[in-house]
C-alpha cells in the first residue's frame, strides 16, 4: 500500500512525525540486533559445523553480496507496497534466517541461511534509510544520528546476549533462536504512520531518472561509504574471530570487541545531531576520520584482548557518525528520488563490506589479523578528502503567521 497521498491515514493512524520516527527507530534497532547476532556467532557456528576458515570468509562475503542485491529487492518492494510493509517482510525473513543458521545440520544449509539473511538485511537497509531520510526532511533538522544510535543499541544487546549464551554454555541454536524471537517482538511493534506534510514524489512508483550530474555528486559519498564499511566490516565481522584466534580469548569474551564497538557507536551517534548543529558536518567528519585511524592502529597493535576491546570501542566512537551523515547528505541531492539514490549508494556500502570482509578474512586465515586492522587505519585518513561534500539538513520552513487586523 502506497504512503504517498497527502493527509492519508492507514489502519486508523493519523499522520504523525513522532509516530513515524518511533517506528523507524524500532526498525533500526531490529536491524542492529540481526546484524550483531550473525557476526558475533561466527566463531561458534564455525566450530559447531567445523567449517574451514576460507569457507567462513566466503560465507561472510556472500552475505555482503546478497545484501547488495537485496537493496534493489527492497527498492522494488517499497515502490509496490510501501516502506513499512517492506520493513516487516525483511525483518520476518531475517528472523527465519537466524533460526536456520542456528539449527543448520550441515554446511549447505548454513550457506543457504546466510544468503537468505543477506537478501533480507539489504532490503531492510534501503527501507529504513529512505524512511529515515523522509522523516529528517519532515523535521527540518539533523536526526539521522538518533536512528543509528538505536541500531547500535540493538547491536550491543545482541552481542551481550551472544556472550551470555556462551557463558551459560548454550548451543548456538538456542542463542540464535532467542535473537530471532527479539526480531519478531520488534516487528510486531511496527505500525504505519504516514508523513502527510513531507512525503511526496519520493514515495511514488514512477520516479525521474537521476541523470549524470547527480551520479557525479553521489560518487564522493559512495567512496566515503566504501571506506567506512571496509572499517566496519573489519571490526564487526572479524573482531570476535580476531580475539578468539589471535589474542586467545574464550568464546565468552570473543563477542566483547563487537559489543564495545557498538557501545562506542551508541555514544558517538547519540551526540552526532548536536555536534552537526554546533560545528557543522564537515568538521565532525574530519575529526571522526582521524579518530578512526588512530583507534584502528591501536587495535592492530593490541597486546591482549582487553586492549583490543577498548580500541574497538574507540573505533566505534569515531566511525559512528560517518554512515548516517553520508546517507543523509546523499539523500538531499534529490529528495524526490531518495529511494533510488540510497539503493545505488548501498552498492558502495556492500562493496566496502565485501572488500573489508574478504581481505580481513583472508589475512586472518593466514594468521595476519593484525595487518587486517592496520590497513584500514591508512584508508581512514583518506576520508578527510571527502569531508567537504557533507551538508547540513535544510531548516524546516516556518508557517506564515497572518498579520493581526
Amino acid at each position: 500500500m502506497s504512503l504517498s497521498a497527502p493527509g492519508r491515514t492507514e489502519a486508523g493512524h493519523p499522520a504523525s512525525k513522532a509516530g513515524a520516527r518511533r517506528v523507524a527507530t524500532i526498525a533500526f534497532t531490529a536491524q542492529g540486533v540481526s546484524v550483531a547476532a550473525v557476526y558475533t556467532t561466527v566463531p561458534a557456528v564455525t566450530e559447531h559445523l567445523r567449517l574451514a576458515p576460507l569457507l567462513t570468509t566466503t560465507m561472510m562475503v556472500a552475505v555482503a553480496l546478497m545484501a547488495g542485491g537485496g537493496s534493489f529487492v527492497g527498492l522494488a518492494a517499497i515502490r509496490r507496497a510501501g516502506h513499512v510493509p517492506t520493513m516487516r517482510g525483511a525483518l520476518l525473513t531475517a528472523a527465519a534466517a537466524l533460526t536456520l543458521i542456528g539449527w543448520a545440520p550441515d554446511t549447505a544449509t548454513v550457506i543457504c541461511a546466510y544468503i537468505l539473511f543477506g537478501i533480507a538485511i539489504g532490503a531492510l537497509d534501503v527501507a529504513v534509510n529512505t524512511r529515515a531520510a523522509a522523516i529528517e526532511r519532515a523535521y527540518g533538522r539533523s536526526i539521522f544520528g538518533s536512528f543509528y544510535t538505536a541500531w547500535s543499541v540493538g547491536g550491543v544487546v545482541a552481542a551481550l546476549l551472544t556472550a551470555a549464551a556462551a557463558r551459560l554454555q548454550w548451543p548456538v541454536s538456542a542463542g540464535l533462536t532467542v535473537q530471532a524471537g527479539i526480531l519478531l517482538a520488534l516487528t510486531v511493534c511496527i505500525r504505519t504512520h504516514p508523513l502527510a506534510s513531507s512525503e511526496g514524489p519520493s514515495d511514488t512508483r514512477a520516479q525521474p531518472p537521476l541523470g549524470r550530474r547527480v551520479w557525479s555528486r553521489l560518487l564522493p559519498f559512495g567512496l566515503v561509504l566504501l571506506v567506512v564499511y571496509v572499517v566496519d566490516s573489519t571490526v564487526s565481522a572479524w573482531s570476535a574471530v580476531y580475539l578468539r584466534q589471535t589474542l586467545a580469548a574464550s568464546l565468552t569474551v570473543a563477542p566483547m570487541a563487537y559489543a564495545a564497538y557498538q557501545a562506542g557507536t551508541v555514544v558517538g551517534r547519540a551526540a552526532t545531531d548536536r555536534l552537526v548543529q554546533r560545528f557543522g558536518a564537515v568538521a565532525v567528519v574530519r575529526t571522526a576520520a582521524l579518530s578512526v585511524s588512530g583507534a584502528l592502529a591501536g587495535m592492530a597493535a593490541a597486546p591482549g584482548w582487553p586492549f583490543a576491546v577498548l580500541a574497538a570501542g574507540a573505533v566505534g566512537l569515531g566511525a559512528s557518525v560517518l554512515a548516517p551523515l553520508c546517507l543523509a547528505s546523499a539523500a538531499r541531492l534529490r529528495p524526490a528520488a531518495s529511494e533510488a539514490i540510497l539503493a545505488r549508494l548501498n552498492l558502495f556500502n556492500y562493496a566496502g563490506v565485501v572488500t573489508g570482509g574478504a581481505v580481513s578474512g583472508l589475512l586472518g586465515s593466514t594468521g595476519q589479523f593484525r595487518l587486517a586492522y592496520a590497513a584500514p587505519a591508512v584508508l581512514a585518513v583518506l576520508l578527510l578528502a571527502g569531508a567537504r561534500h557533507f551538508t547540513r539538513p535544510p531548516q524546516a520552513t516556518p508557517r506564515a503567521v497572518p498579520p493581526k487586523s
Side-chain angles (χ1 to χ4, degrees), residues 322-339:
L322 298 171
L325 291 183
C326 194
L327 293 166
S329 295
R332 287 192 286 272
L333 294 176
R334 183 74 66 81
S338 60
E339 284 100 346

Side-chain angles (χ1 to χ4, degrees), residues 120-369:
I121 210 66
L124 179 62
D125 201 31
V126 71
V128 295
N129 280 301
T130 54
R131 187 62 168 165
I135 296 168
E136 185 175 80
R137 290 197 300 273
Y139 273 81
R141 57 185 173 85
S142 178
I143 62 170
F144 234 93
S146 67
F147 294 124
Y148 274 82
T149 301
W151 195 104
S152 298
V153 169
V156 171
V157 171
L160 293 177
L161 283 175
T162 299
R167 178 70 175 177
L168 296 172
Q169 297 184 338
W170 286 6
V172 67
S173 57
L176 282 173
T177 300
V178 171
Q179 309 271 32
I182 294 173
L183 289 192
L184 293 176
L186 291 172
T187 303
V188 170
C189 298
I190 293 179
R191 296 288 186 270
T192 300
H193 293 274
L195 294 173
S197 62
S198 68
E199 295 196 38
S202 64
D203 297 288
T204 59
R205 297 180 189 176
Q207 295 181 354
L210 296 182
R212 291 183 178 179
R213 184 177 180 183
V214 172
W215 277 113
S216 63
R217 295 172 63 194
L218 185 64
L219 184 59
F221 297 112
L223 295 176
V224 169
L225 207 61
L226 187 150
V227 174
V228 167
Y229 278 95
V230 165
V231 172
D232 180 81
S233 65
T234 301
V235 178
S236 297
W238 297 109
S239 60
V241 182
Y242 175 49
L243 262 65
R244 176 71 171 161
Q245 294 184 359
T246 303
L247 301 179
S250 67
L251 283 175
T252 302
V253 170
M256 290 302 178
Y258 186 96
Y261 174 71
Q262 293 299 339
T265 66
V266 170
V267 176
R269 286 168 175 170
T272 295
D273 297 325
R274 290 190 296 272
L275 290 173
V276 169
Q277 292 166 18
R278 182 170 182 179
F279 300 107
V282 174
V284 172
V285 170
R286 286 174 176 164
T287 302
L290 293 174
S291 300
V292 169
S293 180
L296 281 170
M299 197 167 180
W305 68 260
F307 191 94
V309 169
L310 291 175
V315 174
L317 187 64
S320 58
V321 307
L322 298 171
L325 291 183
C326 194
L327 293 166
S329 295
R332 287 192 286 272
L333 294 176
R334 183 74 66 81
S338 60
E339 284 100 346
I341 283 178
L342 293 184
R344 285 158 177 77
L345 194 62
N346 267 353
L347 294 178
F348 293 94
N349 170 346
Y350 295 115
V353 173
V354 168
T355 302
V359 172
S360 300
L362 290 172
L363 288 172
S365 65
T366 60
Q368 300 295 324
F369 257 130

